Amino acid sequence: MRGSHLLAVLAATLAAVGLALDWVGGPALAVLAVFVLGIAWGWAAALVVTVILVALPVLIGEVGSLAVWALYALALLLAAGMGLEIGARLRKIELRQRRLRSNMRAVMRAAQRATRFQDPEELIARVPRLFEQGLARATCVIEFVGDEIRVVSGGCNPLLWTEAAREALREEQPVYQEEGPGRAVLVVPMCGGRLFVLEAAGPLDEDERALVNAFVSVVCLVRQKLVESREAEQFSRLMTALASSHSLMEASEKVIQLLIPILRASSGIVAIFRQGRFELLAMAGKIPPEEEALLLSGLPAGWGAIWRSYIQRSPLFIEDYGRFDLRVEEVYQAGIRSLVFVPVSGERRARIVLVMQDERVRTWSEEDRNVLALVARGLGLMAEQFLVRERMDALLRLEREVLGSFIDEAYETLMRYAVRLVPGAEAGSLLVRTDDGRFVYAAALGYDLESLRKVSFSLEDVRDAWYNAGEEKWSQGEPRIVSAVGQDIAKMSHKTAPVEVIDQAGRVREIKANLCLPIVYQGGVLAVMNLDAFSDPEAFDDESVEAARIFAQQTALLLHEQHYRKLLERAAHTDPLTGLPNRRAFDEDFGSLWESAQRYGYPLALLVMDLSGFKQINDRFGHAAGDRVLQDVAKILSTHTRHGDRVYRWGGDEFALLLPHTALAGAVRAARRYAAAIERVCLEDHYVHASIGAASFPEDAQKPEELLKLADSRMYQAKAAGLVVEPRG
């Protein structure tokens, strides 16, 4: 203002000179002088000069006319007033510019300090400190947790401007409110879902509000760069951790350990959905014992938030677990207050869920969500590789187990592996094709197998009514999927099986999805595998079909191999002439039946039989006739065998029978019936007779070799004495 002061002095001097020298030019200069003085020095100087200039003509006697003098005085007063108004405005503008420059310097210093931070969360926490000087009376950073405001950093009173904060968050625009002459508040949306609040001691003009907005933008820009840098570092650490893992469980645990400090969480869990339950893969951090017990037992389908996230295939962020509708009370009471559930997927459907937990109510920020999405993607891609490797390893184990087991055990093993290896399967059953072309249940997991064994199906039942995808796909072994959303699975089942059996033993009304898999070898269907889901109508997808195809190929080879093994074993244990089990089969069965009888305390009888005069038949009629006699005897013995009794051809004209749960007296009675039946065999005029020795455990012997020796000895005694049975009974 020094220039204006000099101008005012000059104007006053000119006015005085003008008045002294020339009355015509004097008034104009006087008005100008008062006007300038009003601008430059304010009301006091303008008033004094105005009084002097008005009084001066009177004092020097130059007042020509009272009207002219009055107009002259009014002009001076108006000039003074205008000068005062303009001066006030100019001083206000100068003051505003000075304050704006000061605030700009403060904001620039704050922005410079913001660039020095290395941690994005620390930057947000220190933002209020950056505004300690300048236009702010108080500042803070806040966030909404549910409907409540939480002060992240700084010192403000949220109750004074809650509605302004809600509006700023809702509209995603700054909100400014003046609450009287001594208070104003500006709420600016920040990055990460937070809000910056500035409480000013007085009103803020548009330029000042723009400065605050610019500062927030700078902070968010710096934070974004820090977040990107941290994400790159985290991705590098994630990939290093996953690449060094040797199993899905190890990779899952490393991911949790990586996330806990990044998200500032208290614990983490990774679980995979298999066979209708969430199976724990890894957990780390502060897991409450009550929750750990639930996790180790397996979480069933439909359980809590983890099921909602899995079935909806989308992340679920819970800020306040106490208000969540699917809250598990044991977990809440154990101290868990905030959770996030993220389905883990690569290129396929997510069947793994990553869970992060915290012991405090909190907001999961946008950066938290980005990190979780990044980690879930990386883990998902790696998990798919581990799961494929797991299936390949399992198929190798399956081959060893099946080829080293009996046929019934092989069927059960196949079923167990199929349900575990095909994604989405919770239960299953295996139908095998019999020699007469019908299909019967050979194995089941999750069903009542003994009741299902009562049911058999024709080819048309299985192929046309149940599989119902065409003969071409049937013969190619193409998997077929049906869902309860589009099909009535129970109605489909009722077309081929009794309702009372298939509803109870087969649980068809509970099935939400079915994958039917024909097991084909060289164009022929050896078996049909059904895999079922009870909890999810969309349980089976392309990954399930791909896994089923691989499994079907391996299963077909194993079933084919097992079938021929069965034929070879049957041939090795069967007498080719009579079709009866041979001495080798007798030795194996005798050993197993003896162990059972000894373990469970029931009797076991043995009959040893020799045909009398068989040598004379061969000599008289020839060996072909003798073979026919042996075949007739074998047929009679098989026909008259009681339920549970087993008959064998030892060789030559000797036969043996094992009679479980039979004491000696019962064995003798059975021997007489067998002998009477054999006497019906006649070749021309020559009748066949039998001599039989009987012995029983535990009456006659305590060791298997003793029982065998005694029965054989009694047979020879009966033959020598011309008796039918020894002992005579």
Side-chain angles (χ1 to χ4, degrees):
M1 294 291 289
R2 287 182 180 177
S4 61
H5 294 167
L6 292 175
L7 182 61
V9 171
L10 179 60
T13 303
L14 289 174
V17 172
L19 287 173
L21 298 179
D22 183 11
W23 175 246
V24 177
L29 292 175
V31 169
L32 177 61
V34 169
F35 176 73
V36 173
L37 286 171
I39 292 175
W41 286 349
W43 67 270
L47 181 61
V48 170
V49 172
T50 299
V51 171
I52 294 173
L53 291 176
V54 170
L56 185 62
V58 177
L59 294 175
I60 64 175
E62 292 292 336
V63 179
S65 168
L66 183 61
V68 172
W69 179 82
L71 289 174
Y72 169 65
L74 179 61
L76 289 175
L77 290 173
L78 290 175
M82 291 176 62
L84 289 173
E85 176 66 21
I86 293 175
R89 291 189 180 185
L90 289 175
R91 282 188 290 276
K92 185 176 181 181
I93 291 173
E94 182 182 16
L95 180 63
R96 177 175 173 274
Q97 290 177 341
R98 188 180 300 169
R99 188 177 68 174
L100 189 60
R101 286 194 296 270
S102 175
N103 290 336
M104 185 176 294
R105 287 193 294 270
V107 169
M108 290 180 64
R109 287 195 299 270
Q112 289 175 350
R113 289 197 295 270
T115 61
R116 300 171 186 171
F117 288 90
Q118 300 298 320
D119 182 82
E121 297 306 317
E122 183 183 1
L123 169 62
I124 295 299
R126 296 293 297 276
V127 163
R129 293 284 302 275
L130 301 179
F131 256 82
E132 286 181 342
Q133 298 177 352
L135 57 121
R137 186 175 63 82
T139 59
C140 61
V141 175
I142 64 169
E143 64 182 1
F144 277 90
V145 179
D147 294 330
E148 298 180 358
I149 291 179
R150 185 175 77 89
V151 177
V152 177
S153 59
C156 296
N157 185 359
L159 297 178
L160 299 177
W161 31 257
T162 300
E163 291 305 318
R166 293 187 193 281
E167 182 181 349
L169 184 67
R170 183 174 59 254
E171 301 296 332
E172 297 183 354
Q173 294 291 334
V175 172
Y176 173 70
Q177 289 183 355
E178 292 185 9
E179 302 176 358
R183 180 184 296 274
V185 64
L186 176 63
V187 184
V188 183
M190 292 187 70
C191 38
R194 298 185 173 100
L195 300 166
F196 176 71
V197 180
L198 183 145
E199 293 181 358
L204 300 174
D205 59 32
E206 291 185 5
D207 291 333
E208 290 171 327
R209 297 199 295 269
L211 277 176
V212 177
N213 293 340
F215 168 74
V216 172
S217 298
V218 169
V219 169
C220 287
L221 181 61
V222 173
R223 185 176 185 276
Q224 180 63 29
K225 296 299 181 182
L226 292 175
V227 168
E228 290 175 356
S229 175
R230 188 175 69 171
E231 285 180 352
E233 180 184 356
Q234 291 164 356
F235 183 75
S236 175
R237 291 168 58 193
L238 170 67
M239 298 312 297
T240 301
L242 293 177
S244 63
S245 301
H246 297 88
S247 68
L248 180 56
M249 296 179 67
E250 181 183 353
S252 300
E253 185 170 356
K254 287 182 177 179
V255 163
I256 299 172
Q257 297 285 7
L258 181 68
L259 283 175
I260 288 176
I262 293 175
L263 301 179
R264 293 176 173 84
S266 60
S267 58
I269 300 158
V270 178
I272 183 170
F273 189 70
R274 280 177 172 164
Q275 297 180 240
R277 304 184 74 81
F278 286 97
E279 175 184 313
L280 183 66
L281 288 175
M283 60 180 175
K286 297 170 61 178
I287 303 288
E290 299 86 346
E291 185 182 21
E292 184 175 350
L294 288 173
L295 294 170
L296 293 175
S297 64
L299 310 178
W303 189 89
I306 191 170
W307 176 252
R308 176 176 292 180
S309 176
Y310 171 81
I311 204 71
Q312 294 179 351
R313 307 183 191 183
S314 62
L316 178 60
F317 297 89
I318 304 173
E319 298 178 344
D320 187 351
Y321 194 44
R323 300 183 179 184
F324 187 61
D325 59 338
L326 294 180
R327 183 181 73 193
V328 177
E329 200 60 34
E330 296 92 334
V331 176
Y332 181 73
Q333 294 300 329
I336 301 301
R337 293 294 179 266
S338 185
L339 303 97
V340 57
F341 300 83
V342 182
V344 174
S345 64
E347 301 300 329
R348 307 300 183 101
R349 175 187 173 174
R351 300 185 188 275
I352 298 173
V353 180
L354 167 65
V355 185
M356 298 305 296
Q357 304 182 141
D358 210 329
E359 296 176 335
R360 57 199 168 95
V361 175
R362 61 172 290 176
T363 296
W364 299 98
S365 67
E366 182 180 353
E367 285 74 23
D368 294 338
R369 298 170 188 237
N370 292 338
V371 168
L372 284 165
L374 176 70
V375 171
R377 177 68 172 174
L379 179 59
L381 292 171
M382 189 63 68
E384 289 177 356
Q385 299 180 32
F386 281 124
L387 291 173
V388 169
R389 187 189 307 170
E390 179 184 340
R391 292 189 194 114
M392 295 300 103
D393 293 343
L395 287 174
L396 294 176
R397 292 196 304 273
L398 171 64
E399 181 177 0
R400 292 193 296 268
E401 289 186 36
V402 168
L403 294 180
S405 62
F406 294 110
I407 187 66
D408 290 341
E409 295 175 351
Y411 291 147
E412 294 176 3
T413 302
L414 286 170
M415 195 73 262
R416 187 175 70 253
Y417 271 81
V419 172
R420 183 166 181 82
L421 293 179
V422 177
E426 299 177 36
S429 59
L430 181 67
L431 292 165
V432 297
R433 194 168 186 172
T434 61
D435 295 337
D436 62 359
R438 295 187 68 80
F439 288 86
V440 298
Y441 284 99
L445 186 66
Y447 299 110
D448 181 1
L449 179 59
E450 292 307 313
S451 297
L452 291 176
R453 288 187 189 276
K454 302 173 184 177
V455 183
S456 66
F457 306 92
S458 67
L459 174 62
E460 291 73 22
D461 288 338
V462 180
R463 183 189 63 195
D464 302 331
W466 175 246
Y467 178 74
N468 194 27
E471 291 189 25
E472 183 178 356
K473 291 185 177 181
W474 167 266
S475 60
Q476 293 174 350
E478 186 69 21
R480 185 273 294 140
I481 296 174
V482 295
S483 169
V485 174
Q487 297 280 348
D488 188 338
I489 296 177
K491 187 176 181 180
M492 292 173 59
S493 301
H494 294 161
K495 294 179 181 179
T496 61
V499 175
E500 62 276 7
V501 175
I502 208 69
D503 275 5
Q504 295 297 321
R507 302 171 61 187
V508 293
R509 296 188 183 277
E510 301 176 44
I511 297 174
K512 296 291 192 301
N514 167 265
L515 189 155
C516 183
L517 178 65
I519 309 297
V520 178
Y521 185 81
Q522 295 183 350
V525 176
L526 303 178
V528 175
M529 183 173 290
N530 285 294
L531 301 173
D532 302 312
F534 299 128
S535 55
D536 183 5
E538 299 179 356
F540 300 115
D541 56 9
D542 292 343
E543 183 184 15
S544 306
V545 170
E546 181 180 321
R549 284 199 185 102
I550 297 173
F551 191 84
Q553 296 171 3
Q554 188 75 2
T555 303
L557 293 173
L558 294 174
L559 286 175
H560 178 73
E561 179 72 19
Q562 194 72 13
H563 174 70
Y564 277 95
R565 277 184 58 204
K566 185 177 180 180
L567 294 179
L568 291 173
E569 288 178 3
R570 185 182 299 171
H573 290 75
T574 303
D575 174 54
L577 177 64
T578 62
L580 293 177
N582 58 18
R583 180 63 182 263
R584 181 178 179 181
F586 170 84
D587 290 340
E588 292 182 3
D589 290 350
F590 184 38
S592 61
L593 289 174
W594 179 275
E595 289 180 3
S596 296
Q598 194 173 41
R599 181 182 299 115
Y600 298 110
Y602 60 77
L604 173 65
L606 170 63
L607 302 181
V608 176
M609 180 185 304
D610 182 81
L611 301 182
S612 301
F614 182 73
K615 185 176 183 303
Q616 289 79 5
I617 293 176
N618 279 333
D619 292 343
R620 179 179 174 184
F621 300 104
H623 288 282
D627 289 346
R628 286 196 299 273
V629 168
L630 290 174
Q631 290 172 341
D632 290 342
V633 170
K635 187 179 298 184
I636 288 173
L637 290 174
S638 297
T639 303
H640 288 77
T641 300
R642 303 175 305 169
H643 179 69
D645 292 353
R646 304 183 187 185
V647 59
Y648 306 85
R649 184 192 176 198
W650 271 11
D653 59 348
E654 290 186 332
F655 296 83
L657 290 96
L658 289 171
L659 288 67
H661 303 280
T662 305
L664 183 59
V668 170
R669 289 193 297 271
R672 292 188 182 280
R673 289 195 302 272
Y674 287 126
I678 289 172
E679 289 178 355
R680 301 173 195 168
V681 178
C682 177
L683 189 61
E684 295 185 3
D685 58 346
H686 193 92
Y687 287 88
V688 178
H689 301 281
S691 298
I692 304 174
S696 178
F697 163 81
E699 293 177 70
D700 295 323
Q702 298 298 315
K703 295 182 180 180
E705 59 271 17
E706 292 176 357
L707 186 67
L708 185 60
K709 183 177 181 180
L710 181 58
D712 192 51
S713 173
R714 287 176 175 174
M715 182 271 291
Y716 281 110
Q717 292 175 19
K719 188 171 185 178
L723 301 174
V724 175
V725 182
E726 179 65 38
R728 302 176 187 181

